[in-house]
Amino acid sequence: MRFEFIVALCASLMALQPSPVSAQPAASEISLHPAWIVEEGIGDVIVYLSDDFRKSAPLDAEPLNLVTIHRSNPGDARNSPQKDVNSLHKYLKANSGFMAKDLVAFASSRDLVRFYFRGDHEALAARFQYPQATLSKANAQDLARLRSIGIGDFSRFIAKSATSEADLQRQILGDRAPPAEDRTLELKLRIEAGSVDKSQVLAALERKHFDDVTSQVAVGGGDDKLEFDARIRFSESLVQKVMNEVCADAARSGGQCVGWSGRFEPIHLTL
């Protein structure tokens, strides 16, 4: 999914959703990781969280603006927010000097898109006029929710998006497309060893084994980069288990997961 203010968001994960693997941003770009959370009173919410905020969100309260849009395609959190986000971006850029680096996150739920960004709230509020939208200040609960998003939420996005993709293919192709549980998902994790000895993190990951999973760890680009590749007999719970445990083991050894993606192996059909 590409937005006009993002030159390179990510490579594709699946047919339905953008990849959680972020690209290296230039000055005019921003990288977003999609996460799947559940909010009380709202239900399923897909949050596209900026990599900068995820890595360095301050513990003290950070003033953020919040624009809440009544989305143009309601009905499912998975519906693309691209049209609404692009339109709002044009408005903010023209009326507040908004730049890509100001974006913290946007959240897609059944009926709403919520857009969180930095900027002069009072100056914007004095002239804010955008159809089907309201402007407010993000509250402490909003900030706490964004800061709480972690590997478990990113892994849930990969797992549930995979199920959605398989279900859609079966709606289109019928029984010729296998159900999700009969398919293999390729999970790739990028890990930074940080300041510790890379061999320490590598050893911890090479000891990791799961049923119905084949995996390997390789040295990636750069002195402190590792790549964990796994082929998983698909289930949502197993995909989440592998990603959550591998990233937790990396963290205990002084490393951290910084990128992730999942993709079903292709299906071959005779037409």
Side-chain angles (χ1 to χ4, degrees):
M1 182 184 300
R2 286 187 180 271
F3 299 94
E4 293 171 359
F5 62 103
I6 302 173
V7 176
L9 174 58
C10 331
S12 62
L13 160 66
M14 299 169 183
L16 294 182
Q17 298 287 353
S19 168
V21 177
S22 61
Q24 291 296 322
S28 61
E29 303 168 2
I30 187 169
S31 299
L32 305 173
H33 284 273
W36 195 307
I37 67 173
V38 177
E39 288 188 38
E40 184 176 355
I42 296 179
D44 289 336
V45 180
I46 298 175
V47 181
Y48 300 78
L49 189 68
S50 76
D51 209 37
D52 175 66
F53 182 86
R54 182 182 68 87
K55 291 179 178 178
S56 60
L59 296 180
D60 294 334
E62 179 182 15
L64 294 179
N65 302 305
L66 167 60
V67 173
T68 303
I69 307 170
H70 291 273
R71 62 184 307 155
S72 58
N73 56 346
D76 196 311
R78 296 168 297 179
N79 292 342
S80 171
Q82 179 175 356
K83 178 180 177 182
D84 293 317
V85 169
N86 276 346
S87 180
L88 177 62
H89 165 250
K90 289 181 179 179
Y91 176 85
L92 292 175
K93 185 176 180 180
N95 289 274
S96 70
F98 173 85
M99 295 185 291
K101 66 180 179 61
D102 298 323
L103 175 63
V104 167
F106 55 91
S108 170
S109 57
R110 183 181 184 277
D111 299 308
L112 302 173
V113 176
R114 288 167 288 165
F115 193 93
Y116 300 88
F117 62 102
R118 303 176 181 90
D120 186 340
H121 176 83
E122 300 306 324
L124 180 58
R127 59 180 182 273
F128 185 79
Q129 293 182 335
Y130 190 85
Q132 299 296 306
T134 59
L135 171 68
S136 62
K137 291 184 178 180
N139 58 35
Q141 184 178 3
D142 293 322
L143 286 169
R145 185 183 303 112
L146 294 177
R147 291 195 188 103
S148 70
I149 292 173
I151 293 297
D153 305 301
F154 299 125
S155 69
R156 187 180 303 111
F157 174 86
I158 290 179
K160 294 181 75 67
S161 294
T163 297
S164 295
E165 180 192 9
D167 289 346
L168 178 60
Q169 289 177 344
R170 285 176 65 80
Q171 290 176 26
I172 296 172
L173 299 172
D175 291 342
R176 290 182 299 170
E181 58 269 21
D182 290 342
R183 300 179 66 176
T184 298
L185 184 129
E186 297 175 329
L187 177 69
K188 295 181 179 294
L189 305 177
R190 288 193 296 113
I191 297 163
E192 287 183 355
S195 60
V196 301
D197 184 349
K198 183 167 57 179
S199 62
Q200 179 178 327
V201 182
L202 180 64
L205 300 183
E206 287 180 331
R207 290 194 298 268
K208 202 71 185 176
H209 296 287
F210 303 90
D211 293 336
D212 295 322
V213 176
T214 59
S215 64
Q216 62 180 10
V217 187
V219 176
D223 293 338
D224 64 344
K225 301 293 191 302
L226 298 170
E227 296 178 355
F228 181 91
D229 295 341
R231 298 176 71 255
I232 302 170
R233 177 76 173 196
F234 182 78
S235 75
E236 287 190 15
S237 59
L238 183 55
V239 169
Q240 293 179 70
K241 177 183 175 68
V242 172
M243 181 167 166
N244 295 346
E245 291 192 12
V246 169
C247 290
D249 280 3
R252 280 191 289 269
S253 300
Q256 64 172 328
C257 287
V258 296
W260 40 87
S261 65
R263 183 186 298 274
F264 275 133
E265 290 186 339
I267 56 175
H268 301 281
L269 303 176
T270 302
L271 300 179

